[in-house]
Amino acid sequence: MPGRRARGRFRLVAAAGIAALSLTAGLATPLSPATAPAAAADKETTLTVALAQSVDSLSPFLATRLVSTSVSRLMYDFLTNYDAKDNHVIPGLATKWSASKDKLTWTYEIRSNSKWSDGEQATAEDAAWTFNKMMTDEGAATANGSFVTNFKKVTAPSKDKLVIELKKPQATMTALDVPIVPKHVWEKVSDLSKFNNDQKFPIVGNGPFILTGYKVDSYVKLKANKDFWRGSPKFDNIVFRYYKDQDAAVAALRKGEVSFVAGSPALTPAQAQSLKGASNIKVNDGPGRRFYAIATNPGARTKDGKKFGTGDPSLLNEKVRHALFMAVDRKAIVDRVFQGQAVEGAGYIPPRFGDYAWQPSADQELKYDPKAAAKLLDEAGYKKNGDGKRVGKDGKPLSYRMLCHATDPNDRAVSKYLQEWWGDLGIGLKVDCLDNVTDPWVAGDYDLAFDGWSVNPDPDFVLSIHTCAALPTKPKAVSASDNFICDKKFDDLYDKQLAEYDPAKRADLVKQMESRLYDTGYMNVMAYPNAVEAYRTDQIKSIETMPTAAGNIYGQDGYWSWWSAVPAGGASSGATGDNASSDSDSGSNTGLWIGIGVVVVLLVGGGVFFGMRRRATAWDRE
């Protein structure tokens, strides 16, 4: 969902090959009743999307990775949506909304022409139940809880009227990036913290597509919702197919086995170049909505202050953090690694979102300056010994562990430069490129990590993941926190921006938050990667980017790309549903698949896996 949390968040990563999950017996499963037989597969059109990231959950209450939140946008409607052209707020499940004079009571009119796929009408009661569940159930608040912490009361006086009462003003009331679920289905679920919405299909929804099948490390299949209130999608089916090897996905595109390739997180410059000019293939290269960064471990802790993890204590020193970042040549990374398919990083919000984009002042900027970095390390008490190694007062050399996403070629390439640059400073760097970076991340067992989020038009969620409120309630628990940052000044600014309705004043507060995050040195935004992706023009006649003039296709703040896509020639595109899977396979586990992710696998007695929570990093979060 949004940059959601980004979301989009939860975000971070590629966990291909993780064991399949299954839920304990007795949990309710949102199913729709049997539907009429579909047309023969060979007469249906199917858009097949090659991805390299794994789903964390198909439950909209738990999903934080970009792939998962993207699927949620296809399955469920939100109160409001973002216009594809310029990101302004437009109606969704709510047709219009209004606020009381004091801005503490918001009333939404719910459309009457939205139906759940089992035939029941979607009403305000569904929305009220969704929000109330998030307010009272910790499991239901896992992914999007930051949106409702300020809610005082949510009611549905009638089937077409939703009323939300606030404790104090909240500027995100037209940007509540929360999927609304059917109450009559979800109220049967006994434990929302464990239910992954992936046991039997089709799943009841009211979005442009209906989820009809899933197989771990293989595919996610959705069918067009012919009764969607905005109009039926043009393709009959969408299949998201998982590829651990991005070169294999590109090869599949060349052979026409898939319709679209998103990359992990984007096509490499070499792959994009090789596809440009290829027959029946179009490469989309537009400004991206994500940032690519280095995160430091600021000392893992719980909300009540309990410390855990094995982060290097030297990173608690701001001078050390600044020295590390001043030894990173962002321009070289953009030129050599991204080969121009990115913009040099600075602030936390990508330049695509102009109102909130921020740049440090000249005297504030942590410029690439190895000599100045060395001086800072000296001042911090870490001077070089006779072997050229930086050592502290205890005589222990500075050497860090860095989490790297095994499927992200950018992580691997950048890490080689970091080893060289930091090595020149006298600092060691051990890079751990893992399929599953979630386990060490949530345990706080890391010093540095490659990080990144997809940012939404409203930046609230991606800012909320650095507040003290986002910290875990207990050690090693999955939480909304990105990397355990807890800073009172940042929190004060967060509260102020959330309560500020004046757009210009709020934007200024957001920029102050970015400035604070930059100055503390917990995050080093190296680049804003372009959205580089490709599709077959003999399978997809047209498809909408977001923003329309120049933007991305995969991972939008909405469903516009897949809803708008028009088949080329009316023929089936890519693998059909039957080619992607058999009906007997459709009762599998948790969610879509796409490249760089992190997973927390929870074990239940007898060795049965019941939960998959992949950390949203590096493009994971919507």
Side-chain angles (χ1 to χ4, degrees), residues 259-408:
S259 318
F260 179 96
V261 172
S264 59
L267 297 179
T268 66
Q271 289 168 339
Q273 187 60 39
S274 73
L275 292 173
K276 290 178 180 178
S279 178
N280 297 319
I281 291 178
K282 178 179 176 59
V283 175
N284 179 57
D285 183 351
R289 54 181 286 241
R290 56 176 293 269
F291 63 81
Y292 181 65
I294 296 172
T296 64
N297 183 343
R301 71 193 108 170
T302 60
K303 287 183 180 179
D304 61 5
K306 184 176 182 178
K307 297 179 181 179
F308 61 96
T310 58
D312 194 302
S314 67
L315 292 172
L316 300 179
N317 190 317
E318 185 176 288
K319 288 186 176 181
V320 173
R321 299 193 298 270
H322 282 185
L324 289 176
F325 297 161
M326 291 174 72
V328 175
D329 189 342
R330 296 174 178 82
K331 185 176 186 303
I333 288 173
V334 169
D335 292 343
R336 301 174 193 174
V337 176
F338 291 97
Q339 296 181 30
Q341 292 179 178
V343 176
E344 191 174 332
Y348 197 63
I349 308 296
R352 169 165 153 177
F353 303 104
D355 290 343
Y356 300 110
W358 170 87
Q359 291 282 333
S361 61
D363 59 349
Q364 180 184 20
E365 184 180 1
L366 297 173
K367 298 178 181 179
Y368 176 59
D369 190 340
K371 290 183 179 180
K375 183 179 179 181
L376 280 178
L377 290 172
D378 288 341
E379 294 174 359
Y382 295 94
K383 297 184 178 182
K384 283 187 176 181
N385 63 13
D387 296 326
K389 304 296 183 183
R390 294 279 172 179
V391 296
K393 294 180 180 180
D394 57 1
K396 181 182 177 181
L398 279 186
S399 184
Y400 298 124
R401 303 157 297 164
M402 186 162 198
L403 290 177
C404 158
H405 310 111
T407 57
D408 189 344

Side-chain angles (χ1 to χ4, degrees), residues 31-310:
L31 308 178
S32 68
T35 55
D42 62 353
K43 292 183 180 180
E44 293 189 341
T45 54
T46 299
L47 193 163
T48 306
V49 180
L51 301 170
Q53 180 187 48
S54 301
V55 143
D56 50 352
S57 177
L58 289 176
S59 164
F61 294 110
L62 304 179
T64 59
R65 305 195 63 219
L66 181 58
V67 55
S68 312
T69 56
S70 295
V71 171
S72 290
R73 280 194 176 275
L74 298 181
M75 295 169 61
Y76 303 104
D77 217 351
F78 293 32
L79 286 183
T80 60
N81 210 325
Y82 300 104
D83 186 83
K85 183 178 180 180
D86 59 8
N87 293 327
H88 75 269
V89 175
I90 60 174
L93 184 60
T95 58
K96 57 183 178 179
W97 44 89
S98 60
S100 60
K101 187 175 182 180
D102 61 6
K103 304 290 186 181
L104 294 179
T105 301
W106 286 75
T107 302
Y108 302 82
E109 291 193 19
I110 305 302
R111 65 177 60 256
S112 61
N113 60 339
S114 176
K115 290 185 177 181
W116 298 109
S117 52
D118 61 0
E120 293 204 22
Q121 183 179 346
T123 70
E125 184 62 31
D126 296 306
W129 186 90
T130 299
F131 290 123
N132 276 305
K133 202 64 177 175
M134 292 168 60
M135 294 164 62
T136 58
D137 186 313
E138 186 176 345
T142 299
N144 301 306
S146 64
F147 288 110
V148 302
T149 54
N150 183 45
F151 285 14
K152 180 180 179 180
K153 185 179 181 181
V154 181
T155 57
S158 63
K159 68 179 182 179
D160 61 355
K161 182 178 292 186
L162 174 73
V163 178
I164 300 177
E165 298 177 40
L166 304 174
K167 301 172 186 176
K168 57 184 179 182
Q170 180 170 327
T172 61
M173 296 307 291
T174 59
L176 298 173
D177 295 311
V178 176
I180 303 302
V181 302
K183 174 187 175 183
H184 67 283
V185 173
W186 283 83
E187 65 184 353
K188 300 173 185 177
V189 178
S190 60
D191 189 344
L192 288 174
S193 70
K194 299 177 182 178
F195 182 68
N196 280 310
N197 199 25
D198 60 359
Q199 291 299 285
K200 294 182 180 179
F201 300 92
I203 304 295
V204 175
N206 66 337
F209 290 89
I210 299 167
L211 184 62
T212 58
Y214 167 72
K215 186 173 183 180
V216 174
D217 274 353
S218 183
Y219 65 84
V220 173
K221 181 183 175 183
L222 301 103
K223 189 175 186 64
N225 180 1
K226 303 298 184 182
D227 296 321
F228 183 50
W229 64 267
R230 200 183 289 273
S232 175
K234 312 300 187 298
F235 275 91
D236 297 304
N237 304 287
I238 289 183
V239 175
F240 293 92
R241 180 177 291 177
Y242 172 68
Y243 285 83
K244 184 175 183 179
D245 185 284
Q246 186 164 302
D247 286 332
V250 172
L253 183 75
R254 286 184 177 278
K255 292 184 286 186
E257 295 174 352
V258 299
S259 318
F260 179 96
V261 172
S264 59
L267 297 179
T268 66
Q271 289 168 339
Q273 187 60 39
S274 73
L275 292 173
K276 290 178 180 178
S279 178
N280 297 319
I281 291 178
K282 178 179 176 59
V283 175
N284 179 57
D285 183 351
R289 54 181 286 241
R290 56 176 293 269
F291 63 81
Y292 181 65
I294 296 172
T296 64
N297 183 343
R301 71 193 108 170
T302 60
K303 287 183 180 179
D304 61 5
K306 184 176 182 178
K307 297 179 181 179
F308 61 96
T310 58

